[in-house]
Short mmCIF file of all heavy atoms in Angstrom, two decimals:
data_model
loop_
_atom_site.label_atom_id
_atom_site.label_comp_id
_atom_site.label_asym_id
_atom_site.label_seq_id
_atom_site.Cartn_x
_atom_site.Cartn_y
_atom_site.Cartn_z
N LYS B 132 28.58 35.75 24.17
CA LYS B 132 28.22 36.64 25.27
C LYS B 132 27.62 35.87 26.45
O LYS B 132 27.80 36.23 27.61
CB LYS B 132 27.23 37.69 24.77
CG LYS B 132 27.11 38.92 25.65
CD LYS B 132 26.27 39.98 25.00
CE LYS B 132 27.09 41.20 24.66
NZ LYS B 132 26.32 42.24 24.00
N ASP B 133 26.92 34.78 26.16
CA ASP B 133 26.26 34.02 27.24
C ASP B 133 27.09 32.81 27.69
O ASP B 133 26.54 31.87 28.26
CB ASP B 133 24.86 33.59 26.82
CG ASP B 133 24.84 32.80 25.51
OD1 ASP B 133 25.90 32.72 24.87
OD2 ASP B 133 23.79 32.28 25.14
N ALA B 134 28.38 32.86 27.44
CA ALA B 134 29.25 31.75 27.89
C ALA B 134 29.26 31.69 29.42
O ALA B 134 29.07 32.72 30.08
CB ALA B 134 30.66 31.97 27.36
N ASP B 135 29.50 30.51 29.97
CA ASP B 135 29.57 30.42 31.44
C ASP B 135 30.95 30.86 31.96
O ASP B 135 31.88 31.07 31.17
CB ASP B 135 29.19 29.02 31.94
CG ASP B 135 30.07 27.94 31.37
OD1 ASP B 135 31.18 28.24 30.90
OD2 ASP B 135 29.66 26.76 31.39
N LEU B 136 31.02 31.01 33.26
CA LEU B 136 32.27 31.52 33.85
C LEU B 136 33.46 30.62 33.61
O LEU B 136 34.59 31.09 33.48
CB LEU B 136 32.08 31.73 35.35
CG LEU B 136 31.33 33.03 35.69
CD1 LEU B 136 30.82 33.00 37.10
CD2 LEU B 136 32.25 34.23 35.48
N GLU B 137 33.19 29.34 33.49
CA GLU B 137 34.27 28.39 33.22
C GLU B 137 34.92 28.73 31.88
O GLU B 137 36.15 28.73 31.74
CB GLU B 137 33.67 26.99 33.20
CG GLU B 137 34.69 25.89 33.33
CD GLU B 137 34.05 24.52 33.23
OE1 GLU B 137 32.87 24.38 33.52
OE2 GLU B 137 34.77 23.62 32.83
N LYS B 138 34.07 29.01 30.91
CA LYS B 138 34.57 29.33 29.57
C LYS B 138 35.31 30.66 29.59
O LYS B 138 36.39 30.80 29.01
CB LYS B 138 33.40 29.36 28.58
CG LYS B 138 33.80 29.56 27.14
CD LYS B 138 34.33 28.28 26.56
CE LYS B 138 35.02 28.48 25.23
NZ LYS B 138 35.78 27.29 24.83
N TRP B 139 34.70 31.67 30.25
CA TRP B 139 35.36 32.98 30.30
C TRP B 139 36.73 32.85 30.95
O TRP B 139 37.72 33.39 30.44
CB TRP B 139 34.51 33.97 31.16
CG TRP B 139 33.38 34.61 30.43
CD1 TRP B 139 32.08 34.22 30.45
CD2 TRP B 139 33.45 35.76 29.57
NE1 TRP B 139 31.33 35.05 29.66
CE2 TRP B 139 32.13 36.00 29.12
CE3 TRP B 139 34.46 36.60 29.14
CZ2 TRP B 139 31.81 37.05 28.25
CZ3 TRP B 139 34.15 37.65 28.29
CH2 TRP B 139 32.84 37.87 27.85
N SER B 140 36.78 32.12 32.07
CA SER B 140 38.07 32.08 32.78
C SER B 140 39.08 31.20 32.03
O SER B 140 40.28 31.49 32.06
CB SER B 140 37.90 31.62 34.24
OG SER B 140 37.52 30.30 34.28
N GLU B 141 38.59 30.20 31.32
CA GLU B 141 39.50 29.35 30.53
C GLU B 141 40.22 30.22 29.47
O GLU B 141 41.44 30.18 29.33
CB GLU B 141 38.64 28.28 29.84
CG GLU B 141 39.37 27.23 29.05
CD GLU B 141 38.37 26.35 28.31
OE1 GLU B 141 37.51 25.73 28.98
OE2 GLU B 141 38.43 26.31 27.07
N ILE B 142 39.44 31.04 28.80
CA ILE B 142 40.02 31.89 27.73
C ILE B 142 40.87 33.01 28.33
O ILE B 142 41.98 33.26 27.88
CB ILE B 142 38.91 32.46 26.81
CG1 ILE B 142 38.28 31.27 26.05
CG2 ILE B 142 39.48 33.48 25.84
CD1 ILE B 142 37.20 31.64 25.08
N LEU B 143 40.34 33.67 29.37
CA LEU B 143 41.11 34.78 29.95
C LEU B 143 42.43 34.29 30.53
O LEU B 143 43.48 34.92 30.35
CB LEU B 143 40.28 35.52 31.01
CG LEU B 143 39.11 36.35 30.47
CD1 LEU B 143 38.31 36.94 31.61
CD2 LEU B 143 39.63 37.47 29.56
N ASP B 144 42.40 33.14 31.23
CA ASP B 144 43.65 32.61 31.81
C ASP B 144 44.67 32.25 30.72
O ASP B 144 45.86 32.47 30.89
CB ASP B 144 43.35 31.37 32.68
CG ASP B 144 42.73 31.75 34.01
OD1 ASP B 144 42.81 32.93 34.40
OD2 ASP B 144 42.14 30.87 34.66
N GLU B 145 44.14 31.71 29.62
CA GLU B 145 45.06 31.36 28.51
C GLU B 145 45.78 32.61 28.01
O GLU B 145 47.00 32.60 27.81
CB GLU B 145 44.25 30.73 27.38
CG GLU B 145 45.11 30.33 26.18
CD GLU B 145 44.30 29.92 24.95
OE1 GLU B 145 43.12 29.62 25.10
OE2 GLU B 145 44.89 29.99 23.85
N TYR B 146 45.01 33.69 27.85
CA TYR B 146 45.66 34.91 27.31
C TYR B 146 46.46 35.66 28.36
O TYR B 146 47.44 36.33 28.00
CB TYR B 146 44.59 35.80 26.61
CG TYR B 146 44.30 35.18 25.26
CD1 TYR B 146 43.30 34.25 25.11
CD2 TYR B 146 45.11 35.44 24.15
CE1 TYR B 146 43.07 33.62 23.90
CE2 TYR B 146 44.91 34.83 22.94
CZ TYR B 146 43.89 33.91 22.83
OH TYR B 146 43.70 33.27 21.61
N ILE B 147 46.10 35.53 29.60
CA ILE B 147 46.93 36.13 30.67
C ILE B 147 48.29 35.41 30.67
O ILE B 147 49.35 36.04 30.76
CB ILE B 147 46.22 36.04 32.03
CG1 ILE B 147 45.09 37.07 32.10
CG2 ILE B 147 47.22 36.26 33.19
CD1 ILE B 147 44.19 36.98 33.32
N ASP B 148 48.26 34.10 30.53
CA ASP B 148 49.51 33.33 30.44
C ASP B 148 50.33 33.79 29.24
O ASP B 148 51.56 33.91 29.31
CB ASP B 148 49.21 31.83 30.31
CG ASP B 148 49.05 31.17 31.68
OD1 ASP B 148 49.29 31.85 32.69
OD2 ASP B 148 48.68 29.99 31.73
N ASN B 149 49.63 34.04 28.14
CA ASN B 149 50.35 34.52 26.94
C ASN B 149 51.03 35.86 27.20
O ASN B 149 52.18 36.08 26.79
CB ASN B 149 49.39 34.68 25.77
CG ASN B 149 48.97 33.32 25.20
OD1 ASN B 149 49.56 32.31 25.52
ND2 ASN B 149 47.95 33.33 24.35
N VAL B 150 50.30 36.76 27.87
CA VAL B 150 50.87 38.09 28.15
C VAL B 150 52.13 37.93 29.01
O VAL B 150 53.13 38.62 28.81
CB VAL B 150 49.84 39.00 28.89
CG1 VAL B 150 50.49 40.29 29.34
CG2 VAL B 150 48.66 39.30 27.99
N LEU B 151 52.07 36.99 29.96
CA LEU B 151 53.17 36.84 30.91
C LEU B 151 54.31 35.94 30.40
O LEU B 151 55.33 35.79 31.06
CB LEU B 151 52.64 36.28 32.25
CG LEU B 151 51.66 37.18 33.00
CD1 LEU B 151 51.05 36.45 34.17
CD2 LEU B 151 52.35 38.45 33.47
N ASP B 152 54.08 35.34 29.24
CA ASP B 152 55.07 34.40 28.71
C ASP B 152 55.99 35.11 27.71
O ASP B 152 55.57 35.48 26.62
CB ASP B 152 54.32 33.26 28.02
CG ASP B 152 55.26 32.19 27.47
OD1 ASP B 152 56.49 32.42 27.48
OD2 ASP B 152 54.77 31.14 27.05
N PRO B 153 57.27 35.32 28.08
CA PRO B 153 58.19 36.05 27.20
C PRO B 153 58.38 35.37 25.84
O PRO B 153 58.59 36.04 24.83
CB PRO B 153 59.50 36.09 27.97
CG PRO B 153 59.24 35.53 29.30
CD PRO B 153 57.92 34.85 29.30
N VAL B 154 58.28 34.05 25.82
CA VAL B 154 58.47 33.32 24.55
C VAL B 154 57.27 33.57 23.64
O VAL B 154 57.42 33.87 22.46
CB VAL B 154 58.67 31.80 24.82
CG1 VAL B 154 58.71 31.03 23.52
CG2 VAL B 154 59.93 31.58 25.62
N GLU B 155 56.09 33.46 24.23
CA GLU B 155 54.86 33.70 23.47
C GLU B 155 54.88 35.14 22.91
O GLU B 155 54.52 35.39 21.77
CB GLU B 155 53.68 33.52 24.43
CG GLU B 155 52.35 33.47 23.77
CD GLU B 155 52.14 32.22 22.92
OE1 GLU B 155 52.68 31.17 23.27
OE2 GLU B 155 51.47 32.35 21.88
N ASN B 156 55.31 36.07 23.78
CA ASN B 156 55.37 37.48 23.36
C ASN B 156 56.32 37.67 22.17
O ASN B 156 56.04 38.43 21.26
CB ASN B 156 55.85 38.35 24.52
CG ASN B 156 54.71 38.63 25.46
OD1 ASN B 156 53.57 38.76 25.02
ND2 ASN B 156 55.02 38.73 26.75
N TRP B 157 57.46 36.96 22.24
CA TRP B 157 58.41 37.12 21.14
C TRP B 157 57.82 36.56 19.86
O TRP B 157 57.91 37.17 18.80
CB TRP B 157 59.76 36.45 21.43
CG TRP B 157 60.54 36.43 20.15
CD1 TRP B 157 60.76 35.36 19.34
CD2 TRP B 157 61.09 37.56 19.45
NE1 TRP B 157 61.41 35.74 18.20
CE2 TRP B 157 61.63 37.09 18.25
CE3 TRP B 157 61.17 38.94 19.73
CZ2 TRP B 157 62.26 37.93 17.32
CZ3 TRP B 157 61.78 39.78 18.80
CH2 TRP B 157 62.32 39.27 17.63
N LYS B 158 57.18 35.38 19.94
CA LYS B 158 56.64 34.75 18.74
C LYS B 158 55.58 35.65 18.08
O LYS B 158 55.50 35.76 16.86
CB LYS B 158 56.03 33.39 19.08
CG LYS B 158 57.10 32.35 19.36
CD LYS B 158 56.52 31.01 19.63
CE LYS B 158 57.63 29.97 19.84
NZ LYS B 158 57.12 28.67 20.23
N ARG B 159 54.82 36.30 18.92
CA ARG B 159 53.80 37.22 18.40
C ARG B 159 54.47 38.45 17.77
O ARG B 159 54.07 38.91 16.71
CB ARG B 159 52.92 37.64 19.59
CG ARG B 159 51.64 38.32 19.24
CD ARG B 159 50.85 38.41 20.52
NE ARG B 159 49.84 39.46 20.46
CZ ARG B 159 48.65 39.29 19.94
NH1 ARG B 159 48.32 38.14 19.43
NH2 ARG B 159 47.77 40.28 19.93
N THR B 160 55.50 38.94 18.45
CA THR B 160 56.22 40.09 17.93
C THR B 160 56.89 39.74 16.58
O THR B 160 56.87 40.52 15.64
CB THR B 160 57.30 40.54 18.95
OG1 THR B 160 56.64 40.86 20.16
CG2 THR B 160 58.07 41.76 18.47
N ARG B 161 57.46 38.53 16.55
CA ARG B 161 58.13 38.09 15.32
C ARG B 161 57.14 38.06 14.15
O ARG B 161 57.46 38.48 13.06
CB ARG B 161 58.72 36.70 15.55
CG ARG B 161 59.55 36.18 14.38
CD ARG B 161 60.32 34.94 14.76
NE ARG B 161 59.44 33.87 15.16
CZ ARG B 161 59.85 32.75 15.76
NH1 ARG B 161 61.11 32.55 16.05
NH2 ARG B 161 58.98 31.81 16.07
N LYS B 162 55.92 37.60 14.46
CA LYS B 162 54.89 37.56 13.41
C LYS B 162 54.63 38.99 12.91
O LYS B 162 54.51 39.24 11.70
CB LYS B 162 53.62 36.93 13.97
CG LYS B 162 52.49 36.84 12.99
CD LYS B 162 51.30 36.16 13.64
CE LYS B 162 50.05 36.37 12.83
NZ LYS B 162 49.19 37.44 13.31
N ASN B 163 54.53 39.93 13.86
CA ASN B 163 54.30 41.34 13.47
C ASN B 163 55.45 41.89 12.65
O ASN B 163 55.25 42.65 11.69
CB ASN B 163 54.09 42.21 14.72
CG ASN B 163 52.83 41.82 15.47
OD1 ASN B 163 51.88 41.33 14.87
ND2 ASN B 163 52.83 42.01 16.78
N LEU B 164 56.66 41.52 13.03
CA LEU B 164 57.84 42.01 12.29
C LEU B 164 57.85 41.44 10.87
O LEU B 164 58.19 42.14 9.92
CB LEU B 164 59.13 41.60 13.03
CG LEU B 164 59.38 42.30 14.38
CD1 LEU B 164 60.57 41.67 15.10
CD2 LEU B 164 59.62 43.80 14.19
N ILE B 165 57.46 40.19 10.75
CA ILE B 165 57.40 39.57 9.41
C ILE B 165 56.34 40.28 8.57
O ILE B 165 56.56 40.56 7.39
CB ILE B 165 57.11 38.05 9.52
CG1 ILE B 165 58.32 37.33 10.13
CG2 ILE B 165 56.79 37.44 8.16
CD1 ILE B 165 58.06 35.90 10.57
N GLU B 166 55.22 40.60 9.20
CA GLU B 166 54.13 41.24 8.47
C GLU B 166 54.52 42.60 7.90
O GLU B 166 54.00 43.03 6.89
CB GLU B 166 52.89 41.40 9.36
CG GLU B 166 52.00 40.17 9.28
CD GLU B 166 50.90 40.16 10.32
OE1 GLU B 166 50.65 41.20 10.95
OE2 GLU B 166 50.31 39.08 10.52
N ILE B 167 55.45 43.29 8.59
CA ILE B 167 55.86 44.61 8.06
C ILE B 167 57.17 44.49 7.24
O ILE B 167 57.87 45.49 7.04
CB ILE B 167 56.00 45.68 9.18
CG1 ILE B 167 57.01 45.25 10.24
CG2 ILE B 167 54.66 45.99 9.81
CD1 ILE B 167 57.51 46.40 11.09
N ASP B 168 57.46 43.26 6.80
CA ASP B 168 58.61 43.01 5.91
C ASP B 168 59.95 43.37 6.52
O ASP B 168 60.84 43.91 5.81
CB ASP B 168 58.43 43.76 4.58
CG ASP B 168 57.31 43.16 3.75
OD1 ASP B 168 57.11 41.94 3.88
OD2 ASP B 168 56.64 43.92 3.02
N THR B 169 60.14 43.10 7.78
CA THR B 169 61.44 43.32 8.42
C THR B 169 62.45 42.31 7.85
O THR B 169 62.10 41.13 7.71
CB THR B 169 61.33 43.11 9.95
OG1 THR B 169 60.21 43.89 10.43
CG2 THR B 169 62.59 43.50 10.68
N PRO B 170 63.66 42.76 7.50
CA PRO B 170 64.65 41.80 6.95
C PRO B 170 64.90 40.64 7.93
O PRO B 170 64.95 40.83 9.15
CB PRO B 170 65.90 42.65 6.80
CG PRO B 170 65.42 44.06 6.73
CD PRO B 170 64.18 44.12 7.56
N THR B 171 65.04 39.45 7.37
CA THR B 171 65.18 38.23 8.18
C THR B 171 66.37 38.33 9.16
O THR B 171 66.25 37.96 10.33
CB THR B 171 65.36 37.01 7.26
OG1 THR B 171 64.31 37.03 6.30
CG2 THR B 171 65.30 35.69 8.02
N LEU B 172 67.49 38.84 8.67
CA LEU B 172 68.67 38.93 9.54
C LEU B 172 68.39 39.81 10.76
O LEU B 172 68.79 39.50 11.88
CB LEU B 172 69.89 39.45 8.75
CG LEU B 172 71.18 39.56 9.56
CD1 LEU B 172 71.63 38.18 10.05
CD2 LEU B 172 72.30 40.19 8.74
N GLU B 173 67.67 40.90 10.50
CA GLU B 173 67.34 41.81 11.60
C GLU B 173 66.47 41.09 12.64
O GLU B 173 66.66 41.24 13.86
CB GLU B 173 66.63 43.06 11.07
CG GLU B 173 66.47 44.13 12.13
CD GLU B 173 66.01 45.48 11.58
OE1 GLU B 173 65.81 45.58 10.37
OE2 GLU B 173 65.87 46.40 12.39
N ILE B 174 65.51 40.27 12.16
CA ILE B 174 64.64 39.53 13.08
C ILE B 174 65.47 38.55 13.91
O ILE B 174 65.30 38.44 15.13
CB ILE B 174 63.52 38.79 12.30
CG1 ILE B 174 62.58 39.79 11.62
CG2 ILE B 174 62.72 37.87 13.23
CD1 ILE B 174 61.50 39.20 10.74
N ILE B 175 66.41 37.86 13.23
CA ILE B 175 67.24 36.89 13.95
C ILE B 175 68.08 37.59 15.02
O ILE B 175 68.20 37.12 16.15
CB ILE B 175 68.14 36.12 12.95
CG1 ILE B 175 67.28 35.23 12.03
CG2 ILE B 175 69.18 35.26 13.66
CD1 ILE B 175 68.01 34.62 10.87
N GLU B 176 68.63 38.74 14.67
CA GLU B 176 69.46 39.48 15.63
C GLU B 176 68.63 39.97 16.82
O GLU B 176 69.07 39.90 17.97
CB GLU B 176 70.13 40.68 14.93
CG GLU B 176 71.27 40.23 14.03
CD GLU B 176 71.83 41.38 13.16
OE1 GLU B 176 71.27 42.50 13.19
OE2 GLU B 176 72.82 41.13 12.45
N LEU B 177 67.43 40.44 16.51
CA LEU B 177 66.54 40.91 17.60
C LEU B 177 66.15 39.75 18.51
O LEU B 177 66.16 39.87 19.74
CB LEU B 177 65.28 41.57 17.01
CG LEU B 177 65.48 42.93 16.35
CD1 LEU B 177 64.26 43.33 15.52
CD2 LEU B 177 65.76 44.02 17.40
N GLU B 178 65.82 38.62 17.88
CA GLU B 178 65.44 37.42 18.66
C GLU B 178 66.58 36.99 19.58
O GLU B 178 66.39 36.68 20.76
CB GLU B 178 65.05 36.27 17.73
CG GLU B 178 64.70 34.99 18.49
CD GLU B 178 64.10 33.90 17.60
OE1 GLU B 178 63.39 34.23 16.63
OE2 GLU B 178 64.36 32.72 17.89
N SER B 179 67.78 36.99 19.02
CA SER B 179 68.95 36.57 19.77
C SER B 179 69.18 37.49 20.98
O SER B 179 69.42 37.03 22.10
CB SER B 179 70.16 36.57 18.84
OG SER B 179 71.29 36.11 19.53
N ALA B 180 69.11 38.81 20.72
CA ALA B 180 69.34 39.78 21.81
C ALA B 180 68.28 39.61 22.89
O ALA B 180 68.58 39.60 24.09
CB ALA B 180 69.29 41.20 21.24
N TYR B 181 67.02 39.43 22.48
CA TYR B 181 65.93 39.27 23.42
C TYR B 181 66.08 37.99 24.24
O TYR B 181 65.95 38.00 25.46
CB TYR B 181 64.61 39.25 22.63
CG TYR B 181 63.35 39.03 23.44
CD1 TYR B 181 62.84 40.04 24.24
CD2 TYR B 181 62.68 37.82 23.40
CE1 TYR B 181 61.66 39.85 24.98
CE2 TYR B 181 61.51 37.61 24.13
CZ TYR B 181 61.01 38.62 24.92
OH TYR B 181 59.85 38.44 25.65
N ALA B 182 66.43 36.89 23.55
CA ALA B 182 66.58 35.59 24.22
C ALA B 182 67.70 35.68 25.27
O ALA B 182 67.57 35.13 26.37
CB ALA B 182 66.86 34.49 23.22
N LYS B 183 68.80 36.37 24.94
CA LYS B 183 69.93 36.51 25.90
C LYS B 183 69.46 37.28 27.13
O LYS B 183 69.78 36.92 28.26
CB LYS B 183 71.09 37.24 25.21
CG LYS B 183 71.91 36.34 24.30
CD LYS B 183 73.01 37.18 23.62
CE LYS B 183 73.70 36.36 22.55
NZ LYS B 183 74.53 37.22 21.69
N ASP B 184 68.70 38.36 26.90
CA ASP B 184 68.21 39.17 28.02
C ASP B 184 67.26 38.38 28.92
O ASP B 184 67.33 38.47 30.14
CB ASP B 184 67.51 40.44 27.51
CG ASP B 184 68.49 41.43 26.88
OD1 ASP B 184 69.68 41.36 27.23
OD2 ASP B 184 68.06 42.23 26.02
N ILE B 185 66.37 37.61 28.29
CA ILE B 185 65.41 36.80 29.06
C ILE B 185 66.17 35.75 29.86
O ILE B 185 65.90 35.54 31.05
CB ILE B 185 64.37 36.15 28.11
CG1 ILE B 185 63.47 37.20 27.47
CG2 ILE B 185 63.53 35.08 28.85
CD1 ILE B 185 62.56 37.95 28.44
N SER B 186 67.12 35.11 29.20
CA SER B 186 67.89 34.05 29.85
C SER B 186 68.63 34.60 31.07
O SER B 186 68.71 33.94 32.11
CB SER B 186 68.87 33.45 28.85
OG SER B 186 69.69 32.54 29.46
N ALA B 187 69.15 35.82 30.95
CA ALA B 187 69.92 36.43 32.04
C ALA B 187 69.00 37.17 33.02
O ALA B 187 69.49 37.81 33.98
CB ALA B 187 70.94 37.39 31.47
N ASN B 188 67.69 37.13 32.77
CA ASN B 188 66.73 37.86 33.59
C ASN B 188 67.12 39.34 33.69
O ASN B 188 66.99 39.98 34.73
CB ASN B 188 66.63 37.22 34.98
CG ASN B 188 65.32 37.57 35.67
OD1 ASN B 188 64.33 37.84 34.99
ND2 ASN B 188 65.32 37.61 36.99
N ASP B 189 67.59 39.88 32.56
CA ASP B 189 68.05 41.27 32.51
C ASP B 189 66.87 42.20 32.26
O ASP B 189 66.38 42.35 31.13
CB ASP B 189 69.09 41.39 31.38
CG ASP B 189 69.58 42.82 31.21
OD1 ASP B 189 69.14 43.71 31.98
OD2 ASP B 189 70.41 43.05 30.30
N LYS B 190 66.40 42.83 33.33
CA LYS B 190 65.22 43.67 33.22
C LYS B 190 65.50 44.99 32.50
O LYS B 190 64.57 45.75 32.21
CB LYS B 190 64.63 43.93 34.61
CG LYS B 190 63.98 42.65 35.17
CD LYS B 190 63.51 42.86 36.58
CE LYS B 190 63.03 41.51 37.10
NZ LYS B 190 63.09 41.38 38.52
N SER B 191 66.75 45.27 32.25
CA SER B 191 67.08 46.49 31.49
C SER B 191 67.11 46.21 29.99
O SER B 191 67.22 47.12 29.18
CB SER B 191 68.46 47.00 31.90
OG SER B 191 68.50 47.21 33.27
#
Side-chain angles (χ1 to χ4, degrees):
Chain B
K132 199 172 246 179
D133 55 353
D135 58 20
L136 280 163
E137 196 183 336
K138 186 77 192 167
W139 278 98
S140 68
E141 185 186 302
I142 294 181
L143 289 176
D144 285 343
E145 180 190 341
Y146 282 91
I147 285 172
D148 274 354
N149 286 348
V150 173
L151 296 172
D152 182 351
V154 174
E155 192 67 34
N156 280 327
W157 169 256
K158 287 183 177 174
R159 194 170 158 85
T160 302
R161 185 169 61 192
K162 180 178 165 262
N163 295 331
L164 292 171
I165 291 168
E166 271 170 14
I167 59 162
D168 291 329
T169 309
T171 309
L172 181 62
E173 189 169 1
I174 294 176
I175 293 170
E176 286 172 355
L177 288 166
E178 178 171 327
S179 182
Y181 178 74
K183 281 177 189 167
D184 291 336
I185 293 294
S186 175
N188 202 27
D189 177 1
K190 289 175 187 155
S191 304

